[in-house]
Amino acid sequence: MTREGIRNIVILTGAGVSAESGLATFRGPDGLWEGHRVEDVATPEAFRRDPGLVHAFYDARRAKLQTVTPNLAHEALARLDEQWPGELLLVTQNVDDLHERAGSNRLIHMHGQVKKGWCLRCGNRFAWDGAMGTGAECPSCGGIGQVRPDIVWFGEMPYEMERIDQAVRDCDLFVSIGTSGAVYPAAGFVQTARYCGGRTLEINLEPSMGSFFFDESRMGKAAELVPRWVDELLA
Ligand code: NAD
Ligand code: ZN
């Protein structure tokens, strides 16, 4: 792929980009996320029903992050962010912090972040390290037990959708990396990009659900294919 005619780039990443860092993807072979059904840990209903279980799940995800590091795919995307002279937006569905640890700056976490909390009493959001649990104290208002992980659960509205939608419409190249294409609205970005005249590329271990919407599909591991693609683009 050459950079001819490309100025604005939007990149969408999913759990597959972090797989080689040692973080489990979500629709793995068993369709579970770290042994849990999504309905039990990643919905507002689950949190109302059993906040202890949901907190334990995200506390474990947060603790696990201390033991992993960005891989070559995260690093290549950070290099592209640093060196690309045109517009660039990295939109991640991931709730881990590996893109920012690799150095990406033009980044949106559309599904929130495991290392942030959101107080349901005062509405503030803040950085969170360590366990949260059901008895957490809000650093803004001092309220106890009303802090939840700042994660967009199934049935909730992803963050910054207007800004993302505009960037997808304006992009000359849309690239989807390591996502199954099963979770909307992210799964629909490729169709918007196409409709607005952008070229579309998918990099994934296997064809995603919306694979046929892409002009080009490259199948393989993100840590191998993403650095190669970034080299092509920056050449
Ligand atoms: P997904 O788990 O549904 O799909 C991951 C995709 O990545 C699959 O198509 C798989 O074939 C592919 N893949 C696996 N290993 C790969 C590799 N080494 N290189 C390239 N591709 C690889 O993930 P999703 O589409 O992001 O949707 C999952 C939802 O669950 C998201 O909303 C996300 O917030 C959440 N989630 C986040 C994390 C994380 O933050 N690291 C992990 C699991 C789930
Ligand atoms: Zn508060």
Side-chain angles (χ1 to χ4, degrees), residues 13-16 18-20 23-27 33 93-96 111 154 178-181 183 203-206 220-222:
T13 63
S18 296
E20 288 156 272
L23 297 179
T25 61
F26 164 54
R27 285 158 211 278
W33 187 1
Q93 300 168 85
N94 293 345
V95 297
D96 66 49
H111 290 164
F154 286 87
T179 173
S180 60
V183 180
I203 298 176
N204 209 46
L205 206 52
E206 60 195 10
K221 291 184 171 178

Side-chain angles (χ1 to χ4, degrees), residues 3-4 8 11 18 43 49 98 110 116 122 147 164 176 181 206 226-227:
R3 59 197 290 174
E4 208 176 311
N8 299 348
I11 302 155
S18 296
T43 63
R49 195 167 55 231
L98 295 178
M110 67 177 289
K116 284 179 80 175
C122 69
V147 180
I164 295 169
S176 170
E206 60 195 10
V226 174

Side-chain angles (χ1 to χ4, degrees), residues 5 22 48 86 93 110 115 150 171 208 214:
R48 275 196 294 272
Q93 300 168 85
M110 67 177 289
K115 290 187 75 172
D150 189 15
C171 77
S208 67
F214 290 87

